[in-house]
């Protein structure tokens, strides 16, 4: 589990959001009469948020409360500034300051206790590690789900699933982790950012020349076209993969855009009687170069 599911960490779309800081930027506009210049608005907000955080206590209690309750990842600025000025350029910048992180952790832990009716369940759900050490759970209903009569929290006590058999999941000592039969077991085991589902195929999936995806990437690094296709692997389509635009926006929306593009491609292939599509080598080299130059 991780912190989320309450207004304090709800991502809000806003004209002044610029990286998840909607709550602070909106409040600064309305209450503190702070507005950016016409140019370099993004960089200006980043710098200004850290400056405001250094003087957060000078604002009225009402404004400070609005900083926290209006949403955005940038609520951490409501508890203080980043120790390193460069870190202040990030939505999570102040979280590297452990004094700020601990204050935010206490605030969010209180939110969980307010959302979950059973104190013992709330205790088990509350993370023990610093905020943002794991991916955040962004939803309004997650914590309230544990108040439903048909929902049971199973505390594994730090044990991991080793195997799955007829009796469900078993731990490393081959002991059942559950005492009741299961109809359905859904795994949410996490993923390796950027390479994602491709990890399981890197050493298995072979292209037209008998070279695996891993062997290809080991020579020149990851090279794709639009992050959705790669030369030598015809009809092999990637979704929300490396070198795609997925992490530059809302990943669900970006995934939908990729799906629309691939569907259009498949329709074109069917209409024009093509049976496979392969990317030109020079096209993926050019796209990989664009990605490297953009993120350098």
């Amino acid at each position: 589990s991780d912190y989320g599911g309450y207004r304090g960490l709800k991502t809000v779309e806003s004209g002044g959001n610029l990286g998840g800081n909607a709550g602070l930027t909106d409040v600064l506009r309305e209450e503190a009469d702070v507005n950016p210049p016409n140019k370099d608005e993004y960089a200006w907000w980043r710098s200004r948020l850290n400056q405001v955080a250094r003087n957060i206590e000078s604002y009225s209690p009402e404004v400070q409360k609005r900083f926290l309750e209006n949403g955005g990842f940038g609520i951490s600025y409501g508890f203080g500034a980043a120790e390193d000025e460069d870190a202040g350029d990030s939505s999570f910048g102040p979280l590297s300051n452990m004094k700020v992180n601990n204050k935010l952790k206490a605030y969010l832990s209180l939110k969980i206790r307010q959302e979950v009716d059973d104190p013992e369940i709330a205790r088990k759900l509350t993370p023990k590690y610093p905020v943002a050490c794991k991916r955040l759970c962004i939803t309004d209903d997650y914590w309230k789900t544990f108040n439903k009569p048909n929902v049971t929290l199973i505390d594994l006590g730090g044990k991991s699933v080793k195997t799955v058999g007829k009796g469900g999941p078993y731990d490393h000592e081959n002991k059942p982790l559950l005492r009741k039969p299961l109809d359905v077991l859904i795994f949410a085991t996490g993923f390796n950012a950027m390479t994602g589902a491709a990890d399981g195929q890197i050493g298995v999936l072979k292209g037209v020349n008998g070279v695996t995806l891993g062997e290809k990437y080991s020579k020149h690094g990851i090279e794709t076209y639009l992050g959705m296709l790669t030369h030598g692997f015809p009809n092999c389509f990637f979704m929300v993969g490396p070198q795609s635009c997925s992490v530059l926006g809302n990943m669900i929306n970006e995934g939908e855009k990729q799906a629309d593009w691939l569907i259009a491609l498949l329709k074109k292939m069917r209409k024009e009687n093509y049976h496979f599509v392969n990317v030109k080598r020079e096209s993926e080299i050019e796209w990989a170069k664009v990605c490297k130059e953009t993120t350098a």
Side-chain angles (χ1 to χ4, degrees):
S1 61
D2 209 324
Y3 300 103
Y6 40 78
R7 193 163 175 74
L9 267 181
K10 184 178 178 181
T11 302
V12 179
E13 292 295 333
S14 165
N17 190 342
L18 300 174
N21 296 315
L24 290 182
T25 54
D26 286 348
V27 173
L28 288 176
R29 289 180 191 273
E30 298 171 17
E31 302 289 349
D33 194 26
V34 175
N35 284 287
N38 294 328
K39 295 182 179 180
D40 299 325
E41 182 176 359
Y42 182 91
W44 188 91
W45 270 122
R46 293 296 198 193
S47 175
R48 183 59 180 165
L49 285 173
N50 210 40
Q51 293 175 24
V52 170
R54 294 189 183 282
N55 301 289
I56 192 67
E57 295 181 359
S58 65
Y59 291 88
S60 69
E62 292 76 15
V63 173
Q64 291 185 48
K65 183 178 180 180
R66 286 197 60 201
F67 277 19
L68 304 180
E69 297 297 333
N70 274 269
F73 289 124
I75 66 167
S76 55
Y77 287 97
F79 293 94
E83 293 178 328
D84 184 351
E85 282 293 340
D86 291 336
D89 289 339
S90 167
S91 297
F92 299 98
L95 295 179
S96 60
N97 181 337
M98 292 312 299
K99 291 182 180 180
V100 173
N101 198 303
N102 288 332
K103 289 179 181 179
L104 180 58
K105 180 181 177 182
Y107 172 79
L108 300 182
S109 297
L110 174 62
K111 288 286 186 178
I112 294 175
R113 295 196 296 272
Q114 292 173 344
E115 292 284 326
V116 180
D117 296 337
D118 189 313
E120 182 59 18
I121 293 178
R123 183 189 66 80
K124 292 179 179 179
L125 287 171
T126 302
K128 306 300 187 292
Y129 45 81
V131 180
C133 279
K134 291 188 178 181
R135 197 176 190 94
L136 302 172
C137 177
I138 310 299
T139 172
D140 288 335
D141 302 316
Y142 176 74
W143 304 112
K144 292 181 180 179
T145 300
F146 293 94
N147 296 329
K148 296 181 178 180
N150 62 329
V151 174
T152 302
L153 174 66
I154 305 296
D155 185 5
L156 300 183
K159 296 180 180 179
S160 59
V161 176
K162 182 179 181 181
T163 58
V164 177
K166 292 183 178 180
Y170 293 81
D171 65 15
H172 66 286
E173 295 178 347
N174 207 34
K175 295 180 180 180
L177 291 169
L178 301 178
R179 300 298 179 184
K180 58 178 67 176
L182 296 174
D183 294 319
V184 178
L185 180 64
I186 302 174
F187 279 97
T189 55
F191 57 92
N192 189 353
M194 298 312 299
T195 53
D199 286 350
Q201 302 295 328
I202 282 179
V204 179
L205 187 64
K206 292 184 178 181
V208 292
N209 296 323
V211 177
T212 67
L213 200 59
E215 290 171 338
K216 175 182 177 177
Y217 286 167
S218 65
K219 288 184 177 180
H220 307 289
I222 295 177
E223 292 178 333
T224 70
Y225 178 63
L226 303 180
M228 291 189 282
L229 303 99
T230 189
H231 176 72
F233 292 78
N235 291 0
C236 180
F237 307 128
F238 304 126
M239 291 289 295
V240 195
Q243 296 182 343
S244 72
C245 62
S246 55
V247 297
L248 298 179
N250 184 300
M251 294 187 70
I252 296 175
N253 292 340
E254 298 300 337
E256 289 178 350
K257 292 178 182 178
Q258 292 176 41
D260 291 341
W261 190 90
L262 289 172
I263 290 172
L265 172 62
L266 292 172
K267 286 183 176 180
K268 179 179 176 62
M269 291 172 63
R270 177 178 293 179
K271 182 179 180 180
E272 300 183 12
N273 200 31
Y274 286 105
H275 299 287
F276 72 91
V277 57
N278 192 17
V279 176
K280 294 180 179 178
R281 174 68 178 140
E282 54 268 28
S283 296
E284 68 174 5
I285 292 176
E286 182 181 353
W287 180 250
K289 181 180 179 182
V290 170
C291 292
K292 291 176 182 178
E293 291 177 347
T294 304
T295 58

